[in-house]
Amino acid sequence: MAVYLSQSLAESQGSKKLHFVIVGGSLGGLATGLALKALGHDTTILERNPAPLLQDQGAGIVAGGDTLELFKRYNRVDRPIAVSSARRQYLDKEGNIIHREEMVQNMTSWDLAYYLMRANYDGIESPYCDVPDPVPEHGKATHLHDRQVTGFEEESDGIRVYWKKSKGEEGSIYGDILIGADGPSSTVRKILEPDVERKYSGYCALRGTLIESEASESAREAFTNRFTFFHCPGIQILAYLIPGKDGTVEPGQRLINFVYYTNFPEGSPELEEIMTDRDGRRRQITVPPGAINPDAWEKQRQLARERLPPQFAEIVCGTKKPFVQAVTDVLTPQNEYLNGKVVLIGDALAGFRPHTVASTSQAAFDAMLYADYISGKISKEEWKKQTVGFARYIHKRGVDMGVRSQHQDLPLEEHINDRNRASVPREQEVYPEWATVI
């Protein structure tokens, strides 16, 4: 099947069914699989994790407009997908509200989003949701775990992707187009752009959750149906409600989710301590839930009591399975390679800092926009400009927000303005010319 993208793929291919090989089985890969499957194309996801299901990341997600639109288009499960927040508010060190504004936002959890996508993509059953009936017009959806991609090469009119399993077995799969949706440490990107590095920003996000019913009345009042923030030099913390166990949205059973940004200079003993897990292994990017060294976390609990408003200190100290993410930057110069036979989407294209609350939205937007291009709804130029424009512009915004939040002593109004700018709906953004050069 010839797939040359010098002009619109839709123009050159018409309605021909294609086979897309998608590297990465987290939210970005699943979003892309759902969007292409709905067009009638066949998709195969290659996920490197040796387990058939990814483990609960314990993370909350601010579900922006593109994330909600993705579920509106492709989710056929009838259940709530998010918890709503009606207000943003900022606390002082004593825990008093010093700024508030009415703003409706929707928050979900990584695990609920993942299992909803798996139910819709390849019919995985779980306590989170029922599995919808298959749609005859949809393409074939295949999910293969324990497949670490080791390389790829053009073959005939398509591309062959090579993989290796954890016990040494090797193999390959042929497709028309390869989609790199394998996150900010993307293997696909490393093969294409070996000089593009994921770089540490100088601070980490300490994360965790607390069951709503286990929080004090003061903490519940601060975080129930509220998106709450605190800033001081070198520190930002925020919290909001997300669905609880098995995706429940029942009051009392939901989770208070926090993200606590604090500085750990590169090369410092403090960074080495927090990134070295309970077994003595130095983690590069993430110390997963349950793996933090208890002594290192106890130090963070004590610092939280000293630095944070009491409501925030309570949830940080109360979380049972905290985890740590080093905040990093990575940006790929373009989103397609080998004349369109390889495409990067989501974090594989641009890894945003979490301040932007745009990582999941980027994956959803990239998936939907690429599907629109494949179906002929938009031109190749429009697809590329919108995709790379969003990636470059929001990447820069995240870097700027991080520098201002973590390394400058600014009045609260500046942080409020930064946060409000980050909440402008994507379709209302006007990208500068430098962001859309292709």
Side-chain angles (χ1 to χ4, degrees), residues 34-245:
L34 285 168
L36 295 170
K37 169 187 170 181
L39 295 177
H41 298 295
D42 293 339
T43 57
T44 299
I45 288 178
L46 303 179
E47 166 55 45
R48 68 181 178 182
N49 196 294
L53 296 171
L54 295 182
Q55 296 301 305
D56 179 5
Q57 303 291 304
I61 295 171
V62 178
D66 287 308
T67 302
L68 296 175
E69 178 61 24
L70 181 93
F71 280 105
K72 181 180 177 181
R73 288 191 192 185
Y74 306 118
N75 176 39
R76 294 178 291 113
V77 176
D78 184 17
R79 61 143 297 154
I81 64 171
V83 176
S84 290
S85 165
R87 177 195 296 169
R88 276 190 185 172
Q89 59 188 22
Y90 294 76
L91 306 184
D92 64 13
K93 175 65 168 58
E94 285 68 46
N96 303 307
I97 299 172
I98 53 175
H99 178 82
R100 71 183 75 187
E101 49 193 67
E102 304 308 308
M103 181 180 296
V104 175
Q105 291 185 271
N106 294 283
M107 284 68 170
T108 190
S109 61
W110 181 93
D111 55 306
L112 177 56
Y114 175 79
Y115 281 102
L116 281 171
M117 288 185 177
R118 287 299 301 266
N120 284 280
Y121 177 70
D122 60 333
I124 290 296
E125 297 180 353
S126 76
Y128 290 81
C129 62
D130 296 327
V131 175
D133 293 331
V135 177
E137 294 80 16
H138 281 186
K140 181 181 179 182
T142 304
H143 187 288
L144 302 176
H145 63 282
D146 197 15
R147 302 297 198 283
Q148 172 66 57
V149 169
T150 57
F152 48 84
E153 61 183 3
E154 292 182 89
E155 180 179 308
S156 183
D157 295 328
I159 191 157
R160 182 163 295 279
V161 184
Y162 297 91
W163 50 259
K164 185 175 183 178
K165 300 180 76 169
S166 55
K167 293 186 178 180
E169 178 186 344
E170 298 183 0
S172 68
I173 185 170
Y174 178 85
D176 297 292
I177 297 174
L178 168 62
I179 307 291
D182 49 340
S185 295
S186 169
T187 297
V188 177
R189 187 191 63 241
K190 287 178 182 176
I191 293 170
L192 295 164
E193 297 277 6
D195 294 332
V196 173
E197 298 180 6
R198 185 179 184 184
K199 297 181 179 179
Y200 177 58
S201 66
Y203 59 101
C204 294
L206 312 181
R207 307 188 65 166
T209 59
L210 182 69
I211 298 174
E212 186 180 9
S213 61
E214 295 181 358
S216 67
E217 182 177 351
S218 174
R220 290 197 302 272
E221 183 178 350
F223 306 122
T224 298
N225 303 116
R226 303 287 183 263
F227 195 177
T228 305
F229 300 82
F230 170 72
H231 284 268
C232 69
I235 289 174
Q236 176 192 171
I237 187 169
L238 56 90
Y240 50 82
L241 284 180
I242 62 173
K245 179 178 171 57

Side-chain angles (χ1 to χ4, degrees), residues 321-343:
K321 287 190 175 182
F323 64 105
V324 181
Q325 293 176 323
V327 177
T328 61
D329 299 304
V330 66
L331 178 64
T332 317
Q334 57 180 318
N335 67 334
E336 67 160 351
Y337 296 83
L338 301 184
N339 207 21
K341 291 183 183 180
V342 182
V343 173

Side-chain angles (χ1 to χ4, degrees), residues 396-438:
K396 183 180 185 302
R397 171 183 286 167
V399 173
D400 292 344
M401 288 181 70
V403 169
R404 288 163 61 80
S405 171
Q406 300 305 126
H407 304 298
Q408 295 180 10
D409 187 4
L410 300 174
L412 179 61
E413 291 75 14
E414 293 289 322
H415 298 304
I416 293 171
N417 290 337
D418 284 351
R419 179 64 59 186
N420 288 346
R421 279 195 296 270
S423 299
V424 172
R426 175 194 46 77
E427 55 271 20
Q428 295 178 19
E429 298 278 16
V430 178
Y431 303 138
E433 185 177 351
W434 59 261
T436 59
V437 174
I438 57 175

